[in-house]
């Protein structure tokens, strides 16, 4: 089929493979994640944070195998909604689509809150806003959501180009600082006697702690599959979407392992100091290169958070558009620019509502909305990944719709093991105190509501099944 032909009305094939990469990289937000996620890994794995991230990278590549194969067979803006619906049935597909839509919405809250928190911290550090009130970060949170809405209603070509430029610039700064730190470590003139050592790959607490820490590493990759939502807007999607997903996963693995190794060495393998750092690369930039470098990384991390927020809105709106189109509602329509404005507005509005409920009824700060929504969204995401991997097994090894060697079954089976373990350690032992006790409840509630919605509207599921039979497919 020619790239210029629109397989479905509304969305237009106008994106290159690099713009698809831009969405996945921006939603994964490696520059933001490298600043705030490894600390949680250190709490369980000690100095062996890079080893934990290496294990999580292997797990993500196993999951990516299923996504790559499904994207070569199906091209659909609904991503897992179409993948699961076409392999496990329309009801399961709708549940997956609603679940992933929930994840993207909660992640829009996470990343806009991060942009507000990091942006406020930067303004305080440079003296522009020396004494912000407790609600101050919510001002920049609102700015991030408004900006994400504006860029999302433009044609996705511009939006994804912006994502790639923002995240690319921030990653470049981080890599430059990482090289500077590594050179000083190798030269033996690092602060506080820090030195280059491979002990960061040797666990102190046993492999159980490393595997527990790998959970947080795995969560750092969340969003690597976002390019799948651009299956109807990318040139040659059977080739370019799988390349974007696999390339993002491989890059993320190398990036996180190298950066976290240098970070831990720069802290002198002191896991306690590492864990207590509010911004790893911001602190190290100031210590190893100069205070202004720390400021640059801080503002870069805030911009990265905004780019990730934009990616969440773009990905979520494409999912909602696909659901609305198959349901026959107004959410399945596009503007004259070819973008789903109604779906974009709905996703952004839902994120605003979540923040308002948390702040007004539970007294949450921007840091709270970041942590709470991140935990809830990730629990939902892990379940969706499980369903998608099962769908890939059914497509490849039961129905045998594509020619693959039988031994490839080890990849999705390995993915199921990693995903199942990740879900397990997030709920066992069940948290009994603080906000954490509500995270599994809210995540489960989203999925239960999705199931009830499907059961109460059998006509919708039937229409979805009919439409999914026309999804592009073929090896």
């Amino acid at each position: 089929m020619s790239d210029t032909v629109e397989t479905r009305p509304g969305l237009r094939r106008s994106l290159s493979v690099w713009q698809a990469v831009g969405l996945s990289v921006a939603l994964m937000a490696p520059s933001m994640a490298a600043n705030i996620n490894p600390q949680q890994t250190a709490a369980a794995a000690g100095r062996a944070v890079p080893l934990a991230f290496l294990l999580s990278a292997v797990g993500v590549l196993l999951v990516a195998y299923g996504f790559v194969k499904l994207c070569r067979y199906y091209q659909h803006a609904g991503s897992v909604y179409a993948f699961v619906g076409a392999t496990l049935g329309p009801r399961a597909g709708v549940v997956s689509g609603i679940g992933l839509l929930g994840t993207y919405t909660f992640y829009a809250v996470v990343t806009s809150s991060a942009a507000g928190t990091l942006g406020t911290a930067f303004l305080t550090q440079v003296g522009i806003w020396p004494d912000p009130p407790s609600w101050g970060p919510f001002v920049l949170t609102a700015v991030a959501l408004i900006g994400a809405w504006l860029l999302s209603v433009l044609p996705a070509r511009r939006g994804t180009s912006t994502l790639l430029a923002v995240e690319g610039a921030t990653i470049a700064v981080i890599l430059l600082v990482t090289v500077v730190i590594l050179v000083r470590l190798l030269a033996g003139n690092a602060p506080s006697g820090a030195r280059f050592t491979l002990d960061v790959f040797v666990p102190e607490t046993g492999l159980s702690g490393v595997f527990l820490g790998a959970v947080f590493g795995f969560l750092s990759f969340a969003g690597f599959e976002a390019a799948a939502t651009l299956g109807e807007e990318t040139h040659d999607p059977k080739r370019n979407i799988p390349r974007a997903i696999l390339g993002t996963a491989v890059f993320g693995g190398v990036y996180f392992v190298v950066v976290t190794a240098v970070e831990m060495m720069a802290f002198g393998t002191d896991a306690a100091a590492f864990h207590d750092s509010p911004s790893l690369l911001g602190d190290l930039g100031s210590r190893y290169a100069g205070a202004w470098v720390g400021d640059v990384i801080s503002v870069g991390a805030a911009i990265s958070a905004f780019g990730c927020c934009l990616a969440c809105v773009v990905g979520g709106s494409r999912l909602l558009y696909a659901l609305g189109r198959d349901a026959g509602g107004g959410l399945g329509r596009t503007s004259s620019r070819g973008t789903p404005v109604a779906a974009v507005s709905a996703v952004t509005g839902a994120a605003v509502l979540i923040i308002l409920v948390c702040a007004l009824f539970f007294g949450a700060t921007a840091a709270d909305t970041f942590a709470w929504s991140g935990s809830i969204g990730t629990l939902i995401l892990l379940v969706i990944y499980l369903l998608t991997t099962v769908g890939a097994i059914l497509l490849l090894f039961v129905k045998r719709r594509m020619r693959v060697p039988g031994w490839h079954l080890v990849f999705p089976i390995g993915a199921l093991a990693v995903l199942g373990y990740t879900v397990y350690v997030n709920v066992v032992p069940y948290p009994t105190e603080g906000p954490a006790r509500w995270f599994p409840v809210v995540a489960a509630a989203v999925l239960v509501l999705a199931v009830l919605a499907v059961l109460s509207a059998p006509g919708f599921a039937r229409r979805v099944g009919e439409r999914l039979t026309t999804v592009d497919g073929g090896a």
Side-chain angles (χ1 to χ4, degrees), residues 59-283:
V60 166
L61 288 172
L62 293 173
V63 175
Y65 174 87
F67 273 96
V68 165
K69 294 300 183 182
L70 287 168
C71 286
R72 285 178 177 166
Y73 198 83
Y74 302 112
Q75 296 81 51
H76 195 283
S79 181
V80 299
Y81 156 55
F83 300 159
V84 175
T87 54
L88 301 182
R91 288 186 175 86
V94 174
V95 171
S96 296
I98 295 175
L100 189 57
L101 175 61
T103 290
Y104 281 149
T105 303
F106 278 111
Y107 280 1
V109 174
V110 170
T111 51
S112 61
S113 298
T117 301
L118 294 169
T120 301
F122 168 75
L123 294 177
T124 301
Q125 290 171 5
V126 297
I128 296 177
W129 200 0
D131 189 23
S134 59
W135 50 263
F138 283 125
V139 175
L140 295 183
T141 296
V143 172
L145 285 171
I146 292 171
W149 180 87
L150 287 172
L151 287 177
S152 296
V153 299
L154 296 173
R157 183 184 184 91
R158 299 180 186 177
T160 51
S161 295
T162 302
L163 300 180
L164 192 57
V166 169
E167 190 65 24
T170 310
I171 291 173
V173 174
I174 288 176
L175 291 178
L176 179 60
V177 172
T178 301
V179 170
V180 170
I181 294 172
L182 182 59
V183 168
R184 295 195 62 180
L185 289 170
L186 291 170
N189 61 358
S192 304
R195 60 185 179 83
F196 179 86
T197 175
L198 295 180
D199 287 347
V200 296
F201 289 96
V202 179
E204 298 173 291
T205 58
L207 285 179
S208 60
V210 174
F211 275 96
L212 181 60
V215 171
F216 299 99
F218 184 87
L219 302 185
S220 298
F221 287 86
F224 77 93
E225 82 299 334
T229 64
L230 300 179
E232 297 178 38
E233 300 171 80
T234 304
H235 294 299
D236 193 6
K238 292 184 181 181
R239 179 171 179 261
N240 287 335
I241 296 299
R243 289 170 63 195
I245 291 174
L246 185 59
T248 301
V250 171
F251 163 76
V254 175
Y255 170 87
F256 282 127
V257 172
V258 171
V259 171
T260 55
V262 172
E263 287 174 333
M264 182 56 75
M265 293 177 201
F267 273 91
T269 67
D270 185 345
F274 185 97
H275 175 267
D276 293 338
S277 173
S279 175
L280 291 171
L281 290 162
D283 287 347

Side-chain angles (χ1 to χ4, degrees), residues 319-371:
L319 271 170
L320 185 56
Y321 163 81
L323 286 164
R325 180 184 61 194
D326 290 347
L331 292 173
R333 299 175 182 172
T334 58
S335 68
S336 60
R337 295 177 178 268
T339 55
V341 176
V344 169
S345 300
V347 171
T348 308
V352 171
L353 181 61
I354 292 171
I355 292 173
L356 288 175
V357 169
C358 291
L360 297 179
F361 293 96
F362 298 96
T365 63
D368 292 330
T369 55
F370 169 87

Side-chain angles (χ1 to χ4, degrees), residues 379-456:
L379 287 175
I380 300 172
L381 182 66
L382 294 174
V383 175
I384 304 308
Y385 281 173
L386 279 167
L387 290 174
T388 305
T389 303
V390 171
I393 292 175
L394 185 62
L395 176 78
L396 299 174
F397 303 101
V398 178
K399 296 182 178 180
R400 295 193 174 277
R401 297 288 178 81
M402 300 177 69
R403 293 182 179 179
V404 296
W407 67 268
H408 280 198
L409 181 61
V410 300
F411 298 131
I413 292 298
L416 289 178
V418 172
L419 292 168
Y421 176 77
T422 304
V423 173
Y424 175 80
V425 297
N426 272 274
V427 298
V428 178
Y430 192 87
T432 58
E433 297 180 355
R437 68 184 185 274
W438 295 107
F439 300 159
V441 174
V442 176
V446 172
L447 296 172
V448 169
L449 288 175
V451 171
L452 293 176
V454 171
L455 294 178
S456 63

